[in-house]
Amino acid sequence: MQKQSKVWGGNSAAAAASLVERVKSLDRSSELKKQYTPIVIQPHVVGAAQNRLISTLLECNSTQHGGSVFFQDRIPNSRGEYVDVLRFTIDQAIVRGEEKTVDGHISNRSNEELLSCELDSLTDFLIRREIIADRHADLYPLRPLERLKDIDDERPTLALVNRNVAPYLGMDSLGVHLHCYQKEGPIIKLWLAKRAPTKSHHANMLDPTVAGGHPFNLSLIENVTKEAYEEAGVPSEW
């Protein structure tokens, strides 16, 4: 579906600086941090679950081993302080070097495949509980929550998680944005899109010229090229 486009004009760097200050004033990260429990795949923090969802997540059973997908644990952080975390049950077996079994048989699947299967069980569980509506076609790479040093993301992929699940577990949700603009004298005009009224999030709101989630199986340039064609009709050869 092609988005409708419209032009917006800005006129000064002061407006941009004001916007940055506004964003900083809305930052409640320190306050909100207390409402979340880290999700860990040893030795990495990979997400954070809302405390009010913990009891529900602990009820999710694995299709691989029949037990709970998650369990609660206390582990030391970088300062040596013990903190409450949520861990994957199968990750504990991997860390301990125990045999990984599926339906009583030894599995030769990789750790990434085993963890991805657990997240697949979780996806079905969240749909049954009506926490998410359905599966998304895209799968995101589940990676450690670390600050990126540059655009080349070299963090290891630990598993694949459905795009609709990732936000509920505080897991990395990457996307590509393309902003198109034109200059008329001192004025810079941005080409914005309007989201469709049928969108589940932010319907009828303004959007970048092109935007989309970044699935595991596409490079950044491949993805932005695909999204530019789908959303703005930009030919790939451009």
Side-chain angles (χ1 to χ4, degrees):
M1 180 187 303
Q2 186 168 332
K3 296 183 179 180
Q4 301 175 5
S5 296
K6 61 193 299 184
V7 178
W8 175 83
N11 56 12
S12 72
S18 176
L19 177 60
V20 170
E21 291 303 315
R22 176 60 176 161
V23 170
K24 289 181 178 179
S25 72
L26 295 172
D27 182 9
R28 299 171 54 215
S29 55
S30 298
E31 172 189 343
L32 294 175
K33 187 176 181 180
K34 301 174 184 177
Q35 301 176 23
Y36 292 83
T37 296
I39 299 174
V40 171
I41 295 176
Q42 291 281 42
H44 306 289
V45 175
V46 297
Q50 292 184 31
N51 293 337
R52 62 183 179 85
L53 277 179
I54 297 295
S55 60
T56 301
L57 293 175
L58 290 172
E59 295 176 15
C60 176
N61 289 326
S62 168
T63 57
Q64 296 187 101
H65 52 75
S68 177
V69 167
F70 292 109
F71 73 99
Q72 290 177 294
D73 199 4
R74 284 179 64 81
I75 62 174
N77 61 18
S78 58
R79 297 185 296 275
E81 305 165 339
Y82 277 79
V83 295
D84 294 320
V85 300
L86 204 59
R87 289 183 59 192
F88 288 88
T89 301
I90 206 164
D91 180 51
Q92 184 182 45
I94 293 170
V95 171
R96 290 177 176 176
E98 299 171 354
E99 290 183 334
K100 301 168 290 190
T101 60
V102 179
D103 295 332
H105 302 284
I106 296 176
S107 171
N108 59 4
R109 286 185 290 177
S110 68
N111 294 345
E112 178 183 332
E113 290 174 316
L114 291 168
L115 288 163
S116 296
C117 191
E118 296 295 271
L119 286 162
D120 202 50
S121 297
L122 180 62
T123 302
D124 289 335
F125 173 79
L126 294 178
I127 292 172
R128 290 196 302 270
R129 289 300 182 92
E130 298 183 344
I131 294 174
I132 63 175
D134 51 28
R135 287 176 175 270
H136 198 283
D138 291 343
L139 292 174
Y140 282 168
L142 178 58
R143 293 175 172 141
L145 293 181
E146 300 168 356
R147 186 180 298 276
L148 297 182
K149 296 181 177 62
D150 52 49
I151 197 170
D152 294 320
D153 192 346
E154 297 182 353
R155 297 171 299 165
T157 296
L158 305 176
L160 299 179
V161 58
N162 191 271
R163 175 174 170 173
N164 285 351
V165 172
Y168 287 90
L169 299 182
M171 295 173 173
D172 256 355
S173 297
L174 303 180
V176 291
H177 285 194
L178 176 65
H179 298 271
C180 297
Y181 65 91
Q182 64 187 77
K183 296 182 70 174
E184 294 183 3
I187 304 297
I188 295 178
K189 294 183 176 180
L190 293 174
W191 286 93
L192 299 180
K194 184 177 181 181
R195 292 173 65 83
T198 54
K199 288 287 187 181
S200 58
H201 299 290
H202 312 298
N204 290 316
M205 303 293 284
L206 296 180
D207 224 3
T209 318
V210 172
H214 187 55
F216 79 100
N217 56 341
L218 293 176
S219 69
L220 286 172
I221 190 64
E222 288 172 340
N223 195 23
V224 75
T225 300
K226 175 183 75 72
E227 294 290 343
Y229 178 74
E230 292 176 353
E231 300 197 349
V234 178
S236 59
E237 57 268 22
W238 286 14

